[in-house]
């Protein structure tokens, strides 16, 4: 039965709490998200037990990524946005040298835990060939197993 | 002049488009977010090769030979160059390094903290095993640790 004298009212949901929560979620993801980190190639880093490694500085660094393949080989080397062949150690030396001359102060070596030492050693020797290289940082997974 | 009386209505903001954009942003960040694992590092001075040069006797490095025997964290064979007893495990290496570290006056340790430790893996040694040994030496409070050429 329709009542006289009452207008038709719209039923509105109260959106305020939902918008609050949504904005909080957005702020959270904006803060924690890492959209682009071109320096870092995903790989399974070594994670020594009870490691006494330290948190490394991210400023003015050169990251040398030895991109792994199955079987402990390396497919390529990614350094400062350049992808070079695994056997192009002269190119690695040249890139690291130019970055050091432009102000970088640390070289971070990232390699998969299964990579064999002969490949690692080749990269270390290429970095050493720069001559004026400061300390090398051997990167490990900081999450303790 | 006759003014027509207006009916009082509620002034509401249309939130639909804002909510659309906000949800799009939320979905974008949820998809694009990558929680990166924390990375740490061991600082290492780059090795100085001494081909054909003699070393001072008291600075002769302690050479640790490393070889992988499997994929596990402790599947590694260790040996010390020189007149040292065999090392059956990584824990034994840690015990050896700690017991021979000279700390303070009156200590019977053979090596100072700055004594050069040279880690010499075989060419096929896994990187995690090499760094496990590096970490063991660093954990034993040695500060002058270097990676050598593969043996």
């Amino acid at each position: 039965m329709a009542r006289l004298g009452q207008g038709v009212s719209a039923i509105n949901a109260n959106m305020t709490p939902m918008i609050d929560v949504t904005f909080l979620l957005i702020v959270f993801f904006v803060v924690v998200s890492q959209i682009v980190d071109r320096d870092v190639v995903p790989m399974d880093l070594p994670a020594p037990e009870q490691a006494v490694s330290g948190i490394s500085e991210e400023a003015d660094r050169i990251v040398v990524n030895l991109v792994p393949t199955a079987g402990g080989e390396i497919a390529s080397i990614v350094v400062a946005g350049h992808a070079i062949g695994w056997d192009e150690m002269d190119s690695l030396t040249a890139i690291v040298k130019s970055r050091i001359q432009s102000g970088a102060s640390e070289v971070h070596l990232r390699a998969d835990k299964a990579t064999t030492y002969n490949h690692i050693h080749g990269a270390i020797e290429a970095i050493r060939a720069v001559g004026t290289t400061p300390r090398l940082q051997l990167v490990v997974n900081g999450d303790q197993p | 002049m006759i003014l027509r009386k207006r009916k009082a209505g509620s002034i509401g903001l249309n939130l639909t488009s804002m909510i659309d954009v906000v949800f799009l942003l939320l979905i974008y960040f949820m998809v694009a977010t990558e929680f990166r694992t924390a990375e740490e590092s061991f600082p290492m001075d780059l090795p100085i090769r001494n081909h054909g040069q003699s070393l001072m006797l008291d600075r002769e490095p302690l050479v640790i030979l490393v070889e992988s025997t499997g994929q596990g964290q402790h599947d590694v064979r260790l040996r010390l160059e020189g007149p040292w007893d065999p090392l059956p495990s990584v824990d034994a290496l840690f015990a050896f390094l700690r017991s021979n570290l000279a700390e303070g006056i009156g200590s019977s340790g053979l090596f100072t903290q700055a004594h050069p430790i040279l880690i010499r893996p075989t060419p096929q040694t896994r990187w995690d095993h090499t760094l496990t040994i590096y970490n063991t030496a660093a954990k034993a409070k040695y500060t002058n640790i270097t990676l050598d050429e593969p043996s």
Side-chain angles (χ1 to χ4, degrees):
Chain A
M1 190 177 82
R3 289 185 180 173
L4 294 174
Q6 282 193 347
V8 179
S9 61
I11 299 170
N12 289 320
N14 186 5
M15 306 294 278
T16 313
M18 191 191 72
I19 294 172
D20 288 349
V21 171
T22 308
F23 269 113
L24 278 176
L25 283 170
I26 285 184
V27 170
F28 169 74
F29 281 110
V30 168
V31 170
V32 303
S33 70
Q34 185 146 3
I35 311 281
V36 177
D37 192 347
R38 289 185 305 167
D39 283 345
V40 173
V41 175
M43 63 179 75
D44 197 3
L45 293 169
E49 292 173 359
Q50 300 170 1
V52 291
S53 50
I55 296 171
S56 49
E57 296 291 328
E58 299 218 351
D60 297 333
R61 64 173 187 171
I62 314 161
V63 183
V64 177
N65 297 277
L66 306 185
V67 182
T69 62
E73 306 285 317
I74 56 175
S76 62
I77 301 171
V78 175
V79 52
H82 301 82
I84 57 177
W86 65 270
D87 53 348
E88 297 176 45
M89 293 303 173
D90 292 342
S91 302
L92 176 59
T93 304
I95 293 168
V96 171
K97 191 170 188 173
S98 71
R99 287 296 309 274
I100 286 175
Q101 286 170 347
S102 61
S105 58
E106 281 191 341
V107 180
H108 290 225
L109 182 64
R110 299 178 79 253
D112 190 273
K113 65 182 185 181
T115 303
T116 52
Y117 184 68
N118 53 345
H119 292 103
I120 308 279
H121 179 257
I124 291 176
E125 287 298 302
I127 295 165
R128 196 170 67 89
V130 171
T132 56
T133 310
R135 274 195 156 185
L136 186 66
Q137 299 280 348
L138 309 173
V139 180
V140 296
N141 188 344
D143 292 336
Q144 300 298 314
Chain B
M1 197 172 93
I2 300 168
L3 291 175
R4 193 173 284 175
K5 196 175 181 181
R6 281 191 174 176
K7 195 177 177 182
S10 61
I11 300 169
L13 201 64
N14 188 4
L15 295 173
T16 314
S17 51
M18 190 190 76
I19 294 170
D20 287 349
V21 172
V22 164
F23 269 111
L24 279 177
L25 282 171
L26 182 61
I27 291 167
Y28 169 74
F29 280 112
M30 286 177 71
V31 171
T33 298
E34 183 182 331
F35 292 98
R36 207 182 72 182
T37 56
E39 291 187 0
E40 297 183 355
S41 61
F42 293 107
M44 186 186 82
D45 288 322
L46 285 167
I48 299 167
R49 307 285 177 230
N50 286 296
H51 295 298
Q53 296 177 22
S54 61
L55 292 161
M56 297 285 286
L57 191 59
D58 61 338
R59 301 294 289 171
E60 189 174 343
L62 178 68
V63 180
I64 306 171
L65 304 163
V66 188
E67 184 181 5
S68 294
T69 57
Q71 296 186 358
Q73 186 96 36
H74 295 279
D75 293 338
V76 59
R77 184 178 296 132
L78 300 171
R79 192 163 59 84
L80 292 174
E81 201 174 70
W84 308 106
D85 293 334
L87 295 168
S89 66
V90 176
D91 291 338
L93 171 67
F94 179 73
F96 171 84
L97 292 173
R98 283 297 296 163
S99 62
N100 284 295
L101 178 64
E103 284 183 306
I105 299 167
S107 170
S108 60
L110 297 172
F111 310 122
T112 62
Q113 277 192 330
H115 191 91
I117 306 283
L118 207 55
I119 298 171
R120 186 179 295 161
T122 62
Q124 296 305 311
T125 300
R126 288 165 57 95
W127 183 227
D128 59 342
H129 289 156
T130 305
L131 284 185
T132 295
I133 304 308
Y134 194 102
N135 181 55
T136 303
K139 204 165 58 175
K141 298 197 186 317
Y142 289 85
T143 56
N144 188 3
I145 312 163
T146 313
L147 298 179
D148 197 12
E149 295 176 6
S151 60

